[in-house]
Amino acid sequence: METVLAFVVGVLIIVVGLAVSIGLHEIGHLVPAKLFGVKVTQYMIGFGPTIWSKRRGETEYGIKAIPLGGYIAMIGMFPPGKGEQAGEGSTSFLRGMVQDARASSAESITPGDEHRAFYLLPVWKRVIVMFGGPLMNLLLAIVLFAILLMGFGVAQPSTTIGSVSECALPATSERQTCEPGDPEAPGAEAGLQPGDELLSVDGTAIASWTESTAIIRDHPGQPIDVVVLRDGEEVTLEVTPLLSERYVTDERGRVVTDDAGEPVTVEVGFIGIGPASETVRQPATAILPTVGENITGVANIILNLPQRMVDVAEAAFGPEERDANGPISVVGVGRVAGEVASLDEVPVASRAAFLVGLLASLNVALFVFNLIPLLPLDGGHIAGALWEAIRRGWAKLRRRPDPGPVDLARLMPLTFAVVIVLGGMSALLIYADIVKPISVL
């Protein structure tokens, strides 16, 4: 019962955290819009039927049934058309979509509020309004990563041995469990034990695990002395690293991949020991680099999204396994949060740190995703405003008449297609997270 309750609590924390993130995102739009005089008729968290709402002044604030997003309704999102008629030729359906968007925009403008339409704002103000939402997610991510790094700390490899392999298998071996006949790992053969603290390797004092790894990798087939602290006494052991295929890792211990996403391997010295981890609080200078790494990671996922969605589909409808680092839906995120929260063997602080990190990563994802330059995302509106500035600047440079605002209503057919694609991807991810979920257990 306690495990089930912890699972539910973990899911609720993510649901509430996501709702707060969405709410702050929309506040990022709402505040500058009101400051610039745009009339905002609605501020809503969620989509679908309204569960609760309350009107304050000219704005209705509310919560809707489907907590998968939010919006604010600003009057006059699109400029009036220039005499274009609906229902002409073979593209009447598409023209109808454009006209409907313009009509809806025009109907949102009540008499006396014509000067408060969004499309009348200068370009820089429109960019601020639309960028305000993603910016709030970025700021929230920075705050959450600050709590994670400076408050909880990050697990890092220590100089204490946490595990000693019984055998030496290549990194790319199909199995990672020892069987009779497998070569004995040099570390176990030399007598190294979990709990031993590395003091020096081949005569070099060890201050970090990566230092010991570098020395061992550079001495395949060569006997080296390893000095450890065991039960308060220094013990010297002679170890001969075995030449073995291992993964290439970066300075943070992560496996390096090539352009095709495959792990990079190299033949180096190997003795078969792994580090114990310790939680270390990070300085404030580590926050922005961590956020930057997360932004880069999300951007790479988005750039490779078509192939990743193909992989998800093959896993969902076939025997393939899900990529643990691939995209997941809100359902998958909630499941992972629940599983971590229910791990009794993991300290409460570690579980809390994981949930904080998960919410921070979600906000980074919201920041990057919303900046994709496609409508109806914020990035689409920003791109339209910037194109308008370029077009007007070019016209002014050539001393030609002002071309006026960019008519983003013309892009409604493309917007409709983007919505269909995003809806399809969401449905696929949710299905995959139900039938073949990514699990941390």
Side-chain angles (χ1 to χ4, degrees):
M1 179 61 70
E2 291 182 359
T3 301
V4 174
L5 180 60
F7 184 95
V8 173
V9 169
V11 173
L12 288 177
I13 289 174
I14 292 300
V15 170
V16 173
L18 185 58
V20 171
S21 300
I22 293 171
L24 291 175
H25 176 101
E26 298 307 328
I27 287 176
H29 294 310
L30 178 73
V31 172
K34 284 183 171 290
L35 287 175
F36 294 149
V38 178
K39 183 175 181 179
V40 182
T41 57
Q42 283 188 319
Y43 167 93
M44 292 288 170
I45 299 176
F47 299 109
T50 300
I51 297 177
W52 170 87
S53 69
K54 184 175 183 179
R55 179 170 294 278
R56 287 190 176 182
E58 62 188 15
T59 306
E60 178 189 10
Y61 300 85
I63 299 175
K64 291 182 174 287
I66 306 174
L68 296 179
Y71 67 92
I72 66 168
M74 297 179 286
I75 68 170
M77 289 296 295
F78 303 121
K82 297 181 180 179
E84 189 176 40
Q85 299 296 320
E88 296 181 1
S90 61
T91 59
S92 59
F93 174 72
L94 300 181
R95 289 178 179 272
M97 292 178 64
V98 174
Q99 292 295 337
D100 288 344
R102 289 194 185 124
S104 177
S105 177
E107 290 171 1
S108 69
I109 303 176
T110 52
D113 291 325
E114 292 83 0
H115 64 290
R116 302 180 65 191
F118 174 75
Y119 78 87
L120 292 176
L121 288 179
V123 167
W124 67 273
K125 289 186 177 181
R126 271 180 279 157
V127 170
I128 289 176
V129 171
M130 301 314 299
F131 185 69
L135 179 62
M136 288 296 287
N137 292 125
L138 177 61
L139 295 176
L140 184 55
I142 291 173
V143 170
L144 290 171
F145 273 120
I147 294 172
L148 174 65
L149 298 176
M150 300 176 64
F152 290 100
V154 177
Q156 294 182 341
S158 67
T159 56
T160 299
I161 297 176
S163 62
V164 179
S165 301
E166 296 180 2
C167 61
L169 296 174
T172 55
S173 173
E174 294 182 358
R175 60 180 175 84
Q176 294 300 313
T177 56
C178 297
E179 294 182 358
D182 289 335
E184 186 175 8
E189 185 178 12
L192 290 171
Q193 300 176 7
D196 288 347
E197 182 182 350
L198 295 177
L199 298 180
S200 69
V201 177
D202 195 35
T204 302
I206 298 302
S208 68
W209 187 265
T210 54
E211 291 179 356
S212 66
T213 301
I215 297 172
I216 292 169
R217 289 193 166 206
D218 288 341
H219 290 79
Q222 303 175 31
I224 56 176
D225 287 336
V226 177
V227 181
V228 299
L229 183 65
R230 179 185 298 172
D231 298 329
E233 296 182 359
E234 291 188 9
V235 178
T236 301
L237 302 169
E238 184 179 89
V239 185
T240 302
L242 179 70
L243 184 65
S244 178
E245 182 187 34
R246 314 313 303 170
Y247 289 123
V248 176
T249 57
D250 60 18
E251 65 278 0
R252 298 186 65 177
R254 297 170 301 188
V255 175
V256 176
T257 57
D258 57 22
D259 295 338
E262 297 297 325
V264 179
T265 62
V266 63
E267 288 194 342
V268 293
F270 170 77
I271 65 174
I273 59 175
S277 63
E278 58 181 353
T279 301
V280 180
R281 291 182 179 177
Q282 304 296 305
T285 53
I287 298 171
L288 293 183
T290 301
V291 174
E293 290 177 3
N294 273 260
I295 291 175
T296 301
V298 173
N300 286 334
I301 290 177
I302 292 175
L303 291 175
N304 297 290
L305 195 56
Q307 181 57 50
R308 289 179 177 269
M309 294 306 299
V310 170
D311 294 340
V312 171
E314 291 177 347
F317 299 102
E320 291 80 3
E321 293 297 323
R322 290 281 298 277
D323 180 3
N325 296 317
I328 60 176
S329 69
V330 175
V331 172
V333 172
R335 183 189 183 102
V336 169
E339 287 184 351
V340 171
S342 63
L343 294 174
D344 292 335
E345 63 273 19
V346 177
V348 174
S350 297
R351 285 181 273 173
F354 179 86
L355 295 178
V356 171
L358 188 58
L359 283 173
S361 297
L362 278 174
N363 275 276
V364 169
L366 288 172
F367 168 72
V368 177
F369 185 77
N370 275 285
L371 290 181
I372 296 175
L374 291 173
L375 292 174
L377 302 174
D378 299 330
H381 291 280
I382 293 173
L386 294 177
W387 173 244
E388 179 179 317
I390 293 171
R391 196 173 69 158
R392 282 179 159 171
W394 180 247
K396 184 177 181 180
L397 184 65
R398 300 180 66 187
R399 297 183 179 180
R400 292 191 174 184
D402 185 346
V406 169
D407 187 6
L408 292 181
R410 289 178 177 272
L411 299 179
M412 287 309 297
L414 176 60
T415 303
F416 180 73
V418 171
V419 170
I420 294 298
V421 171
L422 293 179
M425 289 194 302
S426 298
L428 173 59
L429 288 174
I430 291 173
Y431 176 77
D433 286 332
I434 293 173
V435 300
K436 192 170 287 186
I438 294 175
S439 177
V440 297
L441 299 180

